[in-house]
Amino acid sequence: MVRYKKSEEKRKQILFAAFQALSELGYDSVTLQTIADHAGVSKGVVHYYFDSKEAVLVELLEWLTGKISAKEQAAVREQQTAAGKLAAYIDSAFPGPAKNRTFYRVYLDFLSRASRIPVYREINQRFYDNCARISTEVLTLGQQEGIFAEELSPDTTAPVIRAIIDGCLIQWLMTDNDKLHAVFKESCYTAIMKVLSV
Amino acid sequence: MVRYKKSEEKRKQILFAAFQALSELGYDSVTLQTIADHAGVSKGVVHYYFDSKEAVLVELLEWLTGKISAKEQAAVREQQTAAGKLAAYIDSAFPGPAKNRTFYRVYLDFLSRASRIPVYREINQRFYDNCARISTEVLTLGQQEGIFAEELSPDTTAPVIRAIIDGCLIQWLMTDNDKLHAVFKESCYTAIMKVLSV
Amino acid sequence: MVRYKKSEEKRKQILFAAFQALSELGYDSVTLQTIADHAGVSKGVVHYYFDSKEAVLVELLEWLTGKISAKEQAAVREQQTAAGKLAAYIDSAFPGPAKNRTFYRVYLDFLSRASRIPVYREINQRFYDNCARISTEVLTLGQQEGIFAEELSPDTTAPVIRAIIDGCLIQWLMTDNDKLHAVFKESCYTAIMKVLSV
Amino acid sequence: MVRYKKSEEKRKQILFAAFQALSELGYDSVTLQTIADHAGVSKGVVHYYFDSKEAVLVELLEWLTGKISAKEQAAVREQQTAAGKLAAYIDSAFPGPAKNRTFYRVYLDFLSRASRIPVYREINQRFYDNCARISTEVLTLGQQEGIFAEELSPDTTAPVIRAIIDGCLIQWLMTDNDKLHAVFKESCYTAIMKVLSV
DNA sequence: GATGAATGAGGTTTCATTCAT
DNA sequence: TATGAATGAAACCTCATTCAT
């Protein structure tokens, strides 16, 4: 993009620092100073690359959801069967305790903002759309294979699949127990299978 | 309780005002002034009844989750069959677009805090425990009736049920579309039924 | 005095509570609430008996210095010789670690105010005048007895005597060591004797 | 010192402004705003250079007592005789009405705090230790010269010397009369001479 | 490009004072 | 008389933002 003459790399560095700081401290405790500290740059630099603190956070949500969508899509594309694709999707959504904790803490911050502020809601909507595309791909292939119920419509089923994934990961996050991660992942997979199966 | 000499009624009034203000403005925009404004009292009054802003919010979460648990339990108790109890539970969790939006905006704020701050996590855990009690009640009755799968254990199933409810309501909240509330409620009910059924 | 229709006894109770609270907490930490707490009455009562917090403190200084002057005068009057009177004065000014600490903490608060606010300065001046009266009594008797230097004038000598007393007690207060109280008392007595002696 | 990356000069400027403001207004009336006003900077700057208002005041006491100790020591060092050193010490401690008023108003504020708060007491103790060093230097030299009493021990005599200085300056401060400054200075010198002489 | 000193709006909190009961 | 709920001014402090260097 021509939009940014400034070093795209340093922007990424700041976004990642913001991600870490936000996950660690939470929305109301994160400051430009803490973001700058995490990035190893001065406070002024953040303002040089981003118009405002808000702009950092908006772009962070965009960047995060984009990365996750890409990763999930890639994982699903690699598989040929509906069952394989679904498993790959869940695997991708449950990469492990550390990554899930870091991301979902931040994601909950963003969801609470998205419930009130359109710009966040729109970014999240694009993320949901990508999730729906994956779910639809899995569902329709499964229906062709005959393992998923014919009567299921992608429009109503896709949101439920993401609901179960997010719901399970939130439940797990609240347990604050890394060992239960595998249990919730398994429960999530099983639940989605039951929802889809004939 | 003797704990509060001060008018318990006014405490509730302030808590409710905080609830409204928080739902409207979000955690980082809500101030003691806005809470006081919503309650129709002066700023000092909030501090007269609560030690700090934090104390207001902690007690708000406690009060909100307590009220919801009570309502859900009462609704489930009134029904005699597993199917009736489950429907009552879902009805209770999906009271309508306005109530769900108001509550889930606030609840997302609290979940994001609960992911980092123990005191919020503990309150939420008590809420989850109550939800699990309801789910267990529904599940075991359904197993006795023969409509739910014998092999399901309450310990792993209960969290999934709440995960689907919360997940669906978050998905709906993000659509910002009141008309879809009924659709998500229906999807939620169907999904849980599929997860539980033999 | 007719000035106070209100129970003089309760006023004293509040003044004494203010004295304790002030000694314990210091000027900037003492509040009407802490004074009321120490007095075992409600906050409103303090305002009922005194126009303002400032009024409590002004009257407290008046009351304290008045009591001390009376005590010192009485002690000195009881003695017949210059040496006896001086010893009685010092004894009276050094009643012990606990009393000296309580009083001098408060007195330092008042001195710092008296250096800027006329009303406190005037009250303190009356205290100094009483001290000077005592010193003059001791000095002139001693001169008659021939043990104190003839050339000493009460006007310049009296302030020095109080200076040594206050100075020694402040020095002792800063050591925060009860055991040194007797040492400083002895040093104070010796110093004054040297200043006065022929 | 590496401790302060930030301009040491501006710190000094703020400390001096705090000194003036504190002397003028007193401890309970001085605010960060008044300090900032006296320094000709904005309120935020004070917090940029100091962690808190308390930190400003602690450092102010440290700075003030340090400066005075240095000045007094230097003055005493310049003199060769015990009498000369003592006169230099007194001269240094009585620089004049304006300076003494400004300093002793502030110092009384600090003494009242030092009587309750350890950090202030410790700083004051270091000041007292320096004063004792000076007194000891004067005393031992005077004993060698044969003009001061052999039996005087520095440990008990030094505090009395400072007690007389502080006591006299407090007495003078309370008169609120510049013309009496010289009188009290003379009285102070005479008193100390009598205390020390053979 | 990069820094960090400076600003000041706005937040939480404290507390003297008022006043209905 | 006595209480304590209520008020609101003013304190300390934080921090996004600006800007000279």
Side-chain angles (χ1 to χ4, degrees):
Chain A
M1 268 194 270
V2 186
R3 204 172 122 215
Y4 307 125
K5 299 181 296 257
K6 299 159 191 171
S7 157
E8 198 62 22
E9 201 176 332
K10 182 144 284 188
R11 289 177 66 86
K12 285 282 146 56
Q13 179 190 343
I14 292 168
L15 283 181
F16 187 68
F19 177 46
Q20 290 179 304
L22 190 52
S23 182
E24 210 173 284
L25 301 165
Y27 195 88
D28 58 317
S29 294
V30 91
T31 67
L32 281 189
Q33 187 62 67
T34 58
I35 293 174
D37 290 349
H38 273 81
V41 299
S42 80
K43 200 172 33 158
V45 170
V46 181
H47 260 97
Y48 186 78
Y49 284 93
F50 298 89
D51 283 347
S52 66
K53 183 189 179 184
E54 191 69 7
V56 178
L57 295 166
V58 166
E59 203 157 325
L60 171 57
L61 177 58
E62 215 157 6
W63 179 63
L64 271 180
T65 53
K67 270 206 337 186
I68 291 194
S69 282
K71 207 185 60 173
E72 292 177 347
Q73 273 169 4
V76 171
R77 289 264 156 81
E78 281 189 357
Q79 298 297 318
Q80 309 307 325
T81 65
K85 281 176 188 288
L86 180 59
Y89 185 26
I90 304 294
D91 269 349
S92 203
F94 285 76
K99 286 198 173 174
N100 276 131
R101 178 176 300 108
T102 309
F103 173 72
Y104 267 83
R105 280 180 171 175
V106 171
Y107 189 50
L108 280 172
D109 280 330
F110 281 129
L111 284 178
S112 88
R113 294 184 82 68
S115 71
R116 296 182 193 88
I117 305 171
V119 63
Y120 290 96
R121 189 156 54 232
E122 284 155 18
I123 297 169
N124 189 61
Q125 193 53 53
R126 287 205 289 281
F127 175 59
Y128 277 1
D129 290 345
N130 282 322
C131 295
R133 245 186 296 281
I134 294 172
S135 295
T136 301
E137 183 182 335
V138 172
L139 174 61
T140 50
L141 180 58
Q143 288 171 328
Q144 287 166 22
E145 292 176 3
I147 64 169
F148 291 160
E150 279 292 337
E151 68 273 18
L152 294 174
S153 127
D155 283 357
T156 55
T157 308
V160 172
I161 292 175
R162 191 72 214 177
I164 296 174
I165 293 173
D166 284 343
C168 285
L169 277 165
I170 290 170
Q171 289 276 330
W172 165 75
L173 185 64
M174 294 301 139
T175 65
D176 198 35
N177 184 340
D178 284 9
K179 292 180 184 159
L180 294 180
H181 185 266
V183 176
F184 277 90
K185 183 175 178 177
E186 176 64 25
S187 293
C188 178
Y189 180 77
T190 309
I192 294 176
M193 279 303 288
K194 285 190 182 166
V195 166
L196 297 182
S197 294
V198 287
Chain B
M1 270 192 272
V2 185
R3 200 170 125 217
Y4 308 125
K5 298 183 300 251
K6 296 161 191 170
S7 161
E8 197 63 22
E9 201 175 333
K10 180 138 290 185
R11 287 177 68 86
K12 285 281 147 57
Q13 179 190 339
I14 291 167
L15 282 181
F16 188 68
F19 177 45
Q20 290 179 305
L22 192 51
S23 182
E24 208 172 286
L25 300 165
Y27 198 91
D28 59 316
S29 295
V30 91
T31 68
L32 285 183
Q33 187 62 68
T34 58
I35 292 174
D37 290 349
H38 276 257
V41 298
S42 81
K43 204 173 25 163
V45 170
V46 180
H47 266 100
Y48 187 75
Y49 285 91
F50 297 89
D51 283 346
S52 65
K53 184 189 178 186
E54 190 70 7
V56 178
L57 295 167
V58 166
E59 202 156 325
L60 173 55
L61 177 58
E62 216 157 8
W63 179 64
L64 274 179
T65 53
K67 269 202 346 185
I68 290 193
S69 283
K71 209 185 58 174
E72 293 178 345
Q73 272 170 3
V76 170
R77 291 263 155 81
E78 280 188 358
Q79 299 296 318
Q80 309 307 327
T81 65
K85 280 176 188 288
L86 180 60
Y89 185 26
I90 304 295
D91 269 349
S92 204
F94 286 75
K99 286 197 173 175
N100 276 132
R101 178 175 300 108
T102 309
F103 173 72
Y104 267 84
R105 280 180 172 175
V106 170
Y107 189 51
L108 280 173
D109 281 331
F110 280 130
L111 284 179
S112 88
R113 293 186 83 67
S115 71
R116 297 183 193 86
I117 306 172
V119 63
Y120 289 96
R121 189 156 55 230
E122 284 155 19
I123 297 170
N124 189 61
Q125 191 53 52
R126 287 204 290 281
F127 176 59
Y128 278 0
D129 289 345
N130 282 322
C131 295
R133 246 187 295 282
I134 294 173
S135 295
T136 301
E137 184 183 333
V138 171
L139 174 61
T140 51
L141 180 59
Q143 288 172 326
Q144 287 166 22
E145 292 176 3
I147 65 168
F148 292 159
E150 280 292 337
E151 69 273 16
L152 293 174
S153 127
D155 284 356
T156 54
T157 309
V160 172
I161 293 176
R162 191 72 215 179
I164 296 175
I165 293 174
D166 284 342
C168 285
L169 277 164
I170 289 170
Q171 290 276 328
W172 165 75
L173 185 63
M174 294 301 140
T175 66
D176 196 34
N177 184 340
D178 285 9
K179 292 181 184 158
L180 294 181
H181 184 266
V183 176
F184 276 90
K185 183 176 179 176
E186 176 63 25
S187 294
C188 178
Y189 180 77
T190 308
I192 294 176
M193 279 302 290
K194 285 190 182 166
V195 166
L196 297 182
S197 294
V198 286
Chain C
M1 269 195 269
V2 187
R3 205 172 121 214
Y4 307 123
K5 301 181 297 256
K6 298 159 190 170
S7 159
E8 199 62 22
E9 201 176 331
K10 183 144 286 188
R11 288 176 66 85
K12 286 281 147 56
Q13 179 189 343
I14 291 168
L15 283 182
F16 187 68
F19 177 47
Q20 291 180 304
L22 191 52
S23 182
E24 210 171 283
L25 301 165
Y27 195 89
D28 59 317
S29 294
V30 91
T31 67
L32 281 189
Q33 187 62 66
T34 58
I35 293 174
D37 290 349
H38 277 259
V41 299
S42 81
K43 200 172 33 160
V45 170
V46 181
H47 260 98
Y48 186 78
Y49 286 92
F50 297 89
D51 284 346
S52 66
K53 184 189 178 185
E54 190 69 8
V56 178
L57 295 167
V58 167
E59 203 157 326
L60 172 55
L61 177 59
E62 216 158 6
W63 178 65
L64 271 180
T65 53
K67 270 205 339 185
I68 290 195
S69 282
K71 209 184 59 173
E72 292 177 346
Q73 274 170 3
V76 170
R77 291 263 156 81
E78 280 187 359
Q79 298 297 317
Q80 309 307 325
T81 65
K85 281 177 187 289
L86 180 59
Y89 185 26
I90 304 295
D91 270 348
S92 204
F94 286 76
K99 285 197 174 174
N100 276 132
R101 179 176 299 108
T102 308
F103 173 72
Y104 267 82
R105 279 180 172 174
V106 170
Y107 190 50
L108 280 171
D109 280 331
F110 280 130
L111 284 178
S112 88
R113 294 185 82 67
S115 71
R116 295 183 194 88
I117 305 171
V119 64
Y120 290 96
R121 189 156 55 230
E122 284 154 18
I123 297 169
N124 189 61
Q125 192 53 53
R126 286 203 290 281
F127 176 59
Y128 277 0
D129 289 345
N130 283 322
C131 295
R133 246 185 295 282
I134 294 173
S135 295
T136 301
E137 185 183 334
V138 172
L139 174 61
T140 51
L141 180 58
Q143 288 172 327
Q144 288 166 21
E145 292 176 2
I147 64 167
F148 291 161
E150 278 294 334
E151 70 272 17
L152 293 173
S153 129
D155 284 357
T156 54
T157 309
V160 172
I161 293 176
R162 191 72 215 178
I164 296 174
I165 294 173
D166 285 342
C168 285
L169 278 164
I170 290 170
Q171 289 276 329
W172 165 75
L173 185 64
M174 293 302 139
T175 65
D176 198 35
N177 183 341
D178 285 9
K179 292 180 185 159
L180 293 181
H181 186 265
V183 176
F184 276 91
K185 184 177 177 175
E186 176 65 24
S187 293
C188 179
Y189 179 78
T190 308
I192 294 176
M193 279 303 289
K194 286 190 181 165
V195 166
L196 298 181
S197 295
V198 287
Chain D
M1 268 193 272
V2 186
R3 201 170 126 216
Y4 308 125
K5 300 182 297 250
K6 297 160 189 169
S7 161
E8 198 63 21
E9 202 176 332
K10 180 139 288 185
R11 287 176 68 87
K12 285 282 147 57
Q13 180 191 340
I14 292 168
L15 282 182
F16 188 69
F19 177 45
Q20 291 180 304
L22 191 51
S23 183
E24 208 173 286
L25 301 165
Y27 199 90
D28 58 316
S29 295
V30 90
T31 68
L32 285 182
Q33 187 62 68
T34 58
I35 293 174
D37 290 349
H38 276 258
V41 298
S42 81
K43 204 175 26 162
V45 170
V46 181
H47 267 101
Y48 186 75
Y49 286 91
F50 297 89
D51 283 346
S52 65
K53 184 190 178 185
E54 190 70 7
V56 178
L57 295 167
V58 167
E59 202 156 327
L60 173 55
L61 177 58
E62 216 158 8
W63 179 64
L64 273 180
T65 53
K67 269 205 340 185
I68 291 193
S69 282
K71 209 184 58 172
E72 292 178 346
Q73 273 170 3
V76 170
R77 290 263 155 82
E78 281 187 358
Q79 299 296 317
Q80 310 307 326
T81 65
K85 280 177 187 288
L86 180 59
Y89 185 24
I90 304 296
D91 269 348
S92 204
F94 286 76
K99 286 197 174 174
N100 277 131
R101 178 175 300 109
T102 309
F103 174 72
Y104 267 83
R105 280 180 171 173
V106 170
Y107 189 50
L108 280 172
D109 281 331
F110 280 130
L111 284 179
S112 87
R113 293 185 83 67
S115 72
R116 297 184 192 85
I117 306 171
V119 63
Y120 290 96
R121 190 157 54 232
E122 284 155 19
I123 296 170
N124 189 59
Q125 191 54 52
R126 286 204 290 281
F127 176 58
Y128 277 0
D129 289 345
N130 283 323
C131 294
R133 245 187 295 281
I134 294 173
S135 294
T136 301
E137 183 183 335
V138 172
L139 174 61
T140 51
L141 180 58
Q143 289 172 327
Q144 287 166 20
E145 293 177 1
I147 65 168
F148 291 160
E150 278 293 335
E151 69 272 17
L152 294 173
S153 127
D155 283 357
T156 55
T157 308
V160 172
I161 292 175
R162 191 72 214 179
I164 296 174
I165 292 172
D166 284 343
C168 285
L169 277 164
I170 290 170
Q171 289 276 329
W172 165 74
L173 185 64
M174 293 301 139
T175 65
D176 197 35
N177 183 340
D178 285 9
K179 292 179 184 160
L180 294 180
H181 185 265
V183 176
F184 276 90
K185 183 176 178 176
E186 177 64 26
S187 293
C188 179
Y189 179 77
T190 307
I192 294 176
M193 279 304 288
K194 286 189 181 166
V195 166
L196 297 181
S197 295
V198 288

